[in-house]
């Protein structure tokens, strides 16, 4: 390849990078103009996204029953009775208690804040020798914590009391899941035919590897989170901690985040325990420690295993990036996104070698 060709190639790549950066800049700058439109699209597609995710989780069970000579419609019906029926029963029984605890937590929040105010005042007296700017920082920190707590409780209350506004969406999801599971062979064949011929086999291998790496991890991790949530609720209830249903649920949900999840989930329980007694703080820490021992030594090794096959440093790096970009949601989806990227890079390298 000549020097002129290399120069033209370098110019071409530079222009392409600049063009991509310009497009990204325009997308960011014009976001306020199409934000409302994106919100409408998100509300429109959210039932399909949720249904697709649920169907993806349940598909292996349906296929397992189908290969044991159970008709597909009967297999789906059996799963609906056990899964959706069980979830509906649990929600029916737990929702009033959960709503009651949310209301109690909302009413107790001013008392919690007042307790921390007293502690801050005592810290003022003990740290009177420090510069005034340090005290100002403490005031700002307390105000921010109070505002975050109020916003969190209000958001939970608004979402729970607005459940009837999304009743239609919740009613549509089971129907969509049923047809996605039932017509999976048709959808798979259609997607295969829509893919250009030269990429069909490679595309099948990519999807197969993504499912192999990610599917078992997601299903196992969700199951572990369910067990952690239930065990945490039971442990907090046994030690007499307030709001065990809410706090245990938070621990179960945040446990989906590797490494950082248990710490994030334990913070609300420890913060509330501080307003009760030092003894309760010790009990909560011990309970969290026992739950994590059970999770790390019994649940995760047997349910999740080592399905990701990635170095912990790489996972932690992805979690930090996800947290910086999207907060808690970013940390939750960081590992799945990293897994997909890893599979795509692997297949891209193999495709180039074959060429």
């Amino acid at each position: 390849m000549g020097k002129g060709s290399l120069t033209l190639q370098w110019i071409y790549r530079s222009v392409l990078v600049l063009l991509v950066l310009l497009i990204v800049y325009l997308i960011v700058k014009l976001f306020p103009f199409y934000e409302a439109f994106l919100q409408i699209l998100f509300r429109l597609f959210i039932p399909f996204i949720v249904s697709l995710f649920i169907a993806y989780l349940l598909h292996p069970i349906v296929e397992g029953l189908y290969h044991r000579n159970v008709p597909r419609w009967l297999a789906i019906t059996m799963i609906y009775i056990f899964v959706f029926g069980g979830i509906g029963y649990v929600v029916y029984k737990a929702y009033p208690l959960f709503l009651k605890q949310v209301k109690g937590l909302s009413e107790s929040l001013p008392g919690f804040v007042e307790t921390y105010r007293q502690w801050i005042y005592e810290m003022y007296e003990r740290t009177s020798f420090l510069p005034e700017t340090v005290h100002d920082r403490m005031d700002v920190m307390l105000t921010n914590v109070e505002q975050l707590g109020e916003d969190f409780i209000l958001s939970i209350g608004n979402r729970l009391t607005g459940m009837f506004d999304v009743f239609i969406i919740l009613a549509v999801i089971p129907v969509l899941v049923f047809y996605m599971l039932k017509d999976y062979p048709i959808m798979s064949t259609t997607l295969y035919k829509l893919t250009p011929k030269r990429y069909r086999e490679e595309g099948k291998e990519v999807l197969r590897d993504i499912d192999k790496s990610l599917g078992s991890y997601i299903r196992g991790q969700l199951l572990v989170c369910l067990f952690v949530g239930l065990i945490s609720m039971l442990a907090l209830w046994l030690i007499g901690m307030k709001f065990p249903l809410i706090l245990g649920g938070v621990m179960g949900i945040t446990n989906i985040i590797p490494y950082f999840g248990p710490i994030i989930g334990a913070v609300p329980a420890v913060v509330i325990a501080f307003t009760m007694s030092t003894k309760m703080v010790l009990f909560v820490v011990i309970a969290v420690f026992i739950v994590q021992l059970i999770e790390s030594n019994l649940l995760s090794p047997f349910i999740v295993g080592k399905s990701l096959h990635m170095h912990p440093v790489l996972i932690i790096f992805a979690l930090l990036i996800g947290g910086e970009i999207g907060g808690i949601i970013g940390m939750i989806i960081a590992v799945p996104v990293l897994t997909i990227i890893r599979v795509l890079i692997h297949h891209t390298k193999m495709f180039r070698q074959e060429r």
Side-chain angles (χ1 to χ4, degrees):
M1 185 178 292
K3 186 175 180 181
S5 300
L6 288 173
T7 303
L8 288 175
Q9 190 175 19
W10 183 84
I11 294 174
Y12 170 76
R13 290 179 178 177
S14 300
V15 171
L16 184 61
V17 170
L18 290 174
L19 183 61
V20 171
L21 292 176
L22 178 62
I23 293 173
V24 172
Y25 175 79
L26 291 175
I27 290 174
V28 173
K29 281 295 183 181
L30 296 176
F31 179 73
F33 294 97
Y34 57 84
E35 181 180 5
F37 176 71
L38 290 180
Q39 290 178 350
I40 294 173
L41 283 180
F42 179 77
R43 287 196 294 268
L44 180 63
F45 283 104
I46 192 64
F48 294 92
I49 296 172
V50 174
S51 301
L52 187 63
F53 180 70
I54 295 174
Y56 175 71
L57 296 178
L58 298 179
H59 174 254
I61 305 176
V62 174
E63 291 300 311
L65 293 173
Y66 179 73
H67 289 303
R68 288 176 173 79
N69 299 322
V70 178
R72 190 176 294 274
W73 66 268
L74 180 58
I76 299 172
T77 303
M78 291 168 60
I79 292 172
Y80 264 51
I81 292 174
F82 285 104
V83 176
F84 287 101
I87 292 175
Y89 180 78
V90 171
V91 170
Y92 173 75
K93 289 294 185 180
Y95 179 72
L97 179 59
F98 186 69
L99 195 60
K100 181 180 178 181
Q101 291 193 11
V102 169
K103 184 179 179 181
L105 181 57
S106 178
E107 292 173 351
S108 301
L109 187 62
F112 296 154
V113 173
E114 184 59 32
T115 300
Y116 279 101
R117 282 189 182 278
Q118 293 178 3
W119 288 355
I120 293 294
Y121 181 74
E122 292 177 1
M123 290 177 63
Y124 277 169
E125 293 182 340
R126 296 176 182 177
T127 59
S128 57
F129 60 91
L130 293 175
E132 189 63 28
T133 53
V134 176
H135 291 171
D136 293 339
R137 290 283 184 179
M138 294 170 69
D139 281 333
V140 172
M141 182 180 66
L142 182 63
T143 303
N144 290 338
V145 170
E146 181 179 356
Q147 188 62 46
L148 285 173
E150 290 178 353
D151 293 343
F152 177 71
I153 298 300
L154 287 174
S155 65
I156 292 178
N158 291 336
R159 289 171 184 173
L160 290 175
T161 53
M163 285 286 285
F164 292 104
D165 297 335
V166 295
F167 175 78
I168 295 178
I169 295 178
L170 295 178
V172 165
I173 287 176
V175 178
L176 291 174
V177 172
F178 178 85
Y179 282 105
M180 287 178 180
L181 291 173
K182 178 178 175 293
D183 297 332
Y184 169 79
I186 300 175
M187 295 169 61
S188 178
T189 303
T190 303
L191 180 63
Y192 182 79
K193 290 180 179 179
L194 290 175
T195 305
K197 290 184 178 180
R198 59 180 297 187
Y199 298 116
R200 284 179 181 176
E201 295 304 319
E202 181 69 21
K204 284 179 64 176
E205 291 183 11
V206 170
L207 293 178
R208 191 183 302 115
D209 285 351
I210 290 176
D211 179 60
K212 184 179 178 180
S213 301
L214 194 59
S216 58
Y217 168 77
I218 292 178
R219 297 182 186 97
Q221 195 71 1
L222 289 176
L223 192 57
V224 168
C225 290
L226 175 62
F227 282 120
V228 168
L230 294 175
I231 297 171
S232 300
M233 292 176 192
L234 179 61
L236 294 176
W237 176 73
L238 289 175
I239 64 176
M241 181 63 188
K242 293 180 179 179
F243 320 115
L245 196 62
I246 298 175
L247 299 176
V250 170
M251 291 181 187
I253 293 171
T254 56
N255 197 78
I256 199 171
I257 304 172
Y259 305 111
F260 301 111
I263 300 174
I264 297 172
V267 168
V270 173
V271 169
I272 294 176
F274 263 115
T275 64
M276 299 172 65
S277 67
T278 307
K279 183 180 178 181
M280 183 55 68
V281 175
L282 180 61
F283 284 167
V284 169
V285 172
I286 293 174
V288 172
F289 180 72
I290 293 174
V291 170
Q292 288 308 310
L293 278 180
I294 296 173
E295 187 269 341
S296 58
N297 292 286
L298 294 177
L299 297 178
S300 290
F302 287 101
I303 298 177
V304 180
K306 296 182 178 180
S307 53
L308 290 179
H309 303 291
M310 285 189 289
H311 197 278
V313 173
L314 188 60
I315 295 176
I316 292 174
F317 182 68
L319 292 171
L320 293 175
I321 294 177
E324 187 67 26
I325 295 175
I328 298 295
I329 301 299
M331 296 180 76
I332 291 175
I333 66 174
V335 175
V337 170
L338 176 63
T339 303
I340 294 173
I341 292 174
R342 187 186 64 125
V343 172
L344 292 177
I345 292 175
H346 173 70
H347 277 272
T348 301
K349 290 181 178 179
M350 290 182 58
F351 183 72
R352 287 180 177 178
Q353 290 175 359
E354 290 177 358
R355 293 181 63 184

